[in-house]
Amino acid sequence: MWHEPQGLYACDASRGDYAGLIIFVGGPEAQQWHGRPREALTAFIREQLTEAFGPEGGNPRDIHVRDWVDDPWSGGAYSDVVIDLDARYAEDIINEGASPVHFASSELSPSYPGYIEGAIVAGRLAAGRVIGALASGRPEVSGD
């Protein structure tokens, strides 16, 4: 994960004799790159890889691009990043929910944020809050 620019993540997708790296451009960075020329994006990715891994890192055999911003099934980019420095309690507020709705997402996870494991952890925590509310008989959560 890069600290700058925020929203840039990479993970190893190697298997067997195949060496692969998946790079996700999420958060505000995805919005900035959406609709821009593919060549500009691949040049940016090569630049980031060179900074991270040295000259050979910026010379991958191939780069495949998939723009998720307008994708109807994902609802946007890979992940989101809170960039408002005054929003120190944003995660706490979202985790409180808006009764009777409880939110869960990978980005709200106390472990593995940004990954499927984080989404599972956040989902379990949200389910625990719902179960706790139902068990306590709080009126804002209905069993119907």
Side-chain angles (χ1 to χ4, degrees):
M1 177 168 37
W2 278 257
H3 289 277
E4 287 295 325
Q6 291 184 340
L8 199 61
Y9 305 90
C11 61
D12 185 2
S14 302
R15 61 183 184 282
D17 291 341
Y18 172 79
L21 186 66
I22 297 174
I23 299 176
F24 296 100
V25 180
E29 199 67 28
Q31 195 65 37
Q32 290 175 9
W33 282 103
H34 174 64
R36 290 177 63 187
R38 181 184 190 278
E39 296 77 23
L41 177 60
T42 57
F44 167 73
I45 295 299
R46 288 179 192 279
E47 205 175 277
Q48 297 304 312
L49 290 172
T50 299
E51 287 183 32
F53 301 114
E56 289 299 312
N59 192 24
R61 186 179 322 170
D62 198 8
I63 297 178
H64 299 276
V65 176
R66 169 74 163 93
D67 188 343
W68 295 87
V69 171
D70 288 333
D71 185 89
W73 299 107
S74 71
Y78 170 70
S79 66
D80 197 11
V81 178
V82 177
I83 59 171
D84 181 352
L85 297 179
D86 292 329
R88 291 185 296 274
Y89 306 105
E91 289 179 9
D92 295 335
I93 293 167
I94 294 169
N95 273 321
E96 284 178 24
S99 189
V101 176
H102 293 266
F103 298 100
S105 72
S106 173
E107 289 74 16
L108 295 174
S109 180
S111 59
Y112 305 106
Y115 295 95
I116 188 67
E117 292 87 353
I120 293 167
V121 169
R124 287 180 175 160
L125 291 171
R129 290 191 298 271
V130 169
I131 290 168
L134 290 170
S136 71
R138 290 196 339 229
E140 66 270 5
V141 178
S142 168
D144 298 335

